[in-house]
Structures are given as structure tokens and as C-alpha cells.
Amino acid sequence: MATLQVQHETHYAYGAPVLLAHHLAHLRPRDTARQSVRDWRLQVLPAPDGGETGIDAGLDVFGNWRHTFSHAAVHEQLQVVSSFVADMGPPAPVGPGLPWEQVAAALRYRAGAVMPEACEFALGSPFAPRAPAFAEFAGELFAPNRPLIDAARALMHKVHGEFAYQSAATDVATDALVALGLRRGVCQDFAHVMIAVLRTLGLAARYVSGYLLTQPPPGQPRLVGADASHAWVAVWCPREGWVDLDPTNNVVAGADHVTLAWGRDYADVAPLRGVIRGGSTARPTVAVTVSPLGVQD
């Protein structure tokens, strides 16, 4: 089992004083079958209305932690720091699974039938809609009777191979159709395109936000803040459950992938968003550090 320490810092320097602000954060990671979270802390400066007790905690419809806080006092900067320790285990072995058409048929609505909970993730969403262009992109990958996991991995390889990672090419408002046309973007775009393909074919896929432990080149120290928030895809398989695939890195998500939250797409799990009065235009500065605390046998 590996143990990772994570710190996610977001800083806003506003162009004008902010008179009033309300914020929603998805920054507390969730526990999963292979991930146990401890020592989570959230620091907000300036302190929100009511101090620490003014930060309201709850669960959203997907079971993610969410926190809300407000500022009625005038301020010109905002700093939000989330930190925690995660004990990480490896993913469970996954077989090829059922033929993909059989899985898609199980997700198709039938009056009076008891439908799988995964059905909601087979529907299109704002950032990952269903469209013929995505089926065209998949091409022959989803051949008749091909096992779902084999086809999903082939799709992951295709996205990874045909898309260039380019941070300035897109922004947080870019949807999968735009990203498909550009053939470049960041991890959010890679994930949205893969999800949109799977949904267009009638399969269920969800967007997973989190962090990735990136190893520095040999002989070079780890750079504090060099790591970034990350995103990948989970595809639903009736026998295996949700299987996490990372098209940005072309790997099955493993012990280096720390899950934060999941939803239909980025809009459901944005780490921090808000509504402010005043402030002018301000882009956040984000620094994420993922460090190993040790490896246990």
C-alpha cells in the first residue's frame, strides 16, 4: 500500500475589491474501495463568514463531499488550501467483461424494468454530449461481440494517440465536440471526448476528478506545485463495476491516481466555483503537490 500526501492550493488576486462572494468547493476527497482518506483540512483566507463554523458541509447527488462558504466583508484576494493524506491500494484485476452491445442493451430504458444505477451516466451532459461525430471517431473499435473492457481500452489508446496535450488550446468551458475538432487539449478534454464516445454508443461513463502522482526525471527533485489536478474516465461494467481508465496517460488508473469526486462531467465536480459581486476579472493560480509519504508492504 502506498501513502500519498496531497495539497491543493487555489489563489485569486482580484482586479478590484470583492464586495460579496459565495463559493462551492469539491475539495474533500471521497473514500473508495482502494482509497482511504485521513487528516483532511480546508483553510480559507480571509476567513469566511462565521469562521470555520461558517463552512457548510454535505453530500451532493453523486455522493461527493461539497462545502459552501461566503464572504460579506470586502476583500481583494482569496486563498483556499485543501490538504490530506491518502492510503492507496492497487486496482482490482479486471477481465475482458461482457460484449459491449450486451452492456449497452442493459442500459437501454425499458418500461417497467429495474434499471442499473449507472443509467444516468449513459445520458449526454453539457460537456460530454451524445453525437454522431463521436461514433465516427470510434470507427471499428467497437466491433460486434468485442468485450467491453477490450474496446474501452482500445478507445483510450486512440484518444491518447490522436490528441496532443496542450494546456493553452482549451479552457474549462470547452466541451467534447470542440475538443474533438481541435484534437488537442488537457486531461479534462481527453476525458470528455472518451466519455462522449462511450455514451454515444449507449454505454455508461463518468468523469472522475482527482490527482496524479507524477514522477520527476531521474536525478531531479520533485517540484512543489508542479503536479496539477487531473481527470480520467470510469466505464461501467456489470460484472466488474466501475473501471477507471486514464486516456491522458494511456493507463488503467492505479495507486498513483487519487480520486477526489465524480459526476457526469467537469461541471458537476469543479474543485472551486463561485459567484462574486465586484472583483473584476481574475484567473486563479492553482498549485497541486502530490508527494509519497512511504510505501508499505
Side-chain angles (χ1 to χ4, degrees), residues 116-294:
E117 291 184 5
C119 281
E120 63 183 315
F121 294 101
L123 303 174
S125 61
F127 283 94
R130 301 172 70 171
F134 297 116
E136 294 174 9
F137 176 77
E140 301 299 320
L141 296 181
F142 288 78
N145 296 316
R146 187 172 190 181
L148 172 56
I149 293 301
D150 286 352
R153 283 177 172 168
L155 175 60
M156 175 180 71
H157 300 330
K158 184 177 177 69
V159 173
H160 177 80
E162 296 194 15
F163 282 68
Y165 189 93
Q166 192 175 99
S167 58
T170 59
D171 57 33
V172 293
T174 302
D175 65 27
L177 274 171
V178 173
L180 181 65
L182 293 172
R183 288 295 205 278
R184 59 186 184 272
V186 295
C187 56
Q188 173 181 314
D189 304 300
F190 284 55
H192 281 155
V193 168
M194 184 170 171
I195 291 169
V197 171
L198 293 167
R199 290 176 178 170
T200 297
L201 296 172
L203 300 166
R206 65 190 183 192
Y207 181 96
V208 186
S209 72
Y211 309 103
L212 176 64
L213 173 65
T214 53
Q215 301 294 341
Q220 294 188 22
R222 180 176 303 280
L223 300 177
V224 175
D227 296 344
S229 55
H230 195 50
W232 59 94
V233 178
V235 56
W236 181 75
C237 309
R239 293 176 178 172
E240 293 81 5
W242 291 96
V243 178
D244 289 26
L245 302 173
D246 180 354
T248 305
N249 294 287
N250 201 27
V251 297
V252 176
D256 288 349
H257 289 72
V258 182
T259 297
L260 181 59
W262 57 61
R264 296 166 300 172
D265 57 31
Y266 172 80
D268 287 332
V269 294
L272 185 64
R273 58 173 41 178
V275 178
I276 64 174
R277 179 185 297 171
S280 185
T281 301
R283 281 186 169 273
T285 300
V286 179
V288 175
T289 304
V290 184
S291 306
L293 285 183

Side-chain angles (χ1 to χ4, degrees), residues 29-169:
R30 58 191 302 160
D31 291 309
T32 71
R34 64 177 186 85
Q35 172 179 299
S36 178
V37 178
R38 52 190 169 91
D39 300 332
W40 179 77
R41 297 178 182 178
L42 183 67
Q43 297 177 308
V44 180
L45 293 174
D49 299 344
E52 291 186 4
T53 59
I55 301 177
D56 183 56
L59 299 178
D60 67 15
V61 68
F62 303 111
N64 304 306
W65 284 101
R66 65 179 179 185
H67 293 77
T68 57
F69 55 90
S70 300
H71 289 93
V74 176
H75 56 285
E76 297 183 353
Q77 297 190 47
L78 175 67
Q79 183 181 51
V80 180
V81 181
S82 169
S83 59
F84 62 93
V85 174
D87 297 315
M88 306 295 299
V94 178
L98 297 171
W100 73 270
E101 308 101 316
Q102 186 174 335
V103 178
L107 291 165
R108 200 171 300 129
Y109 176 75
R110 300 179 305 281
V114 178
M115 304 300 295
E117 291 184 5
C119 281
E120 63 183 315
F121 294 101
L123 303 174
S125 61
F127 283 94
R130 301 172 70 171
F134 297 116
E136 294 174 9
F137 176 77
E140 301 299 320
L141 296 181
F142 288 78
N145 296 316
R146 187 172 190 181
L148 172 56
I149 293 301
D150 286 352
R153 283 177 172 168
L155 175 60
M156 175 180 71
H157 300 330
K158 184 177 177 69
V159 173
H160 177 80
E162 296 194 15
F163 282 68
Y165 189 93
Q166 192 175 99
S167 58

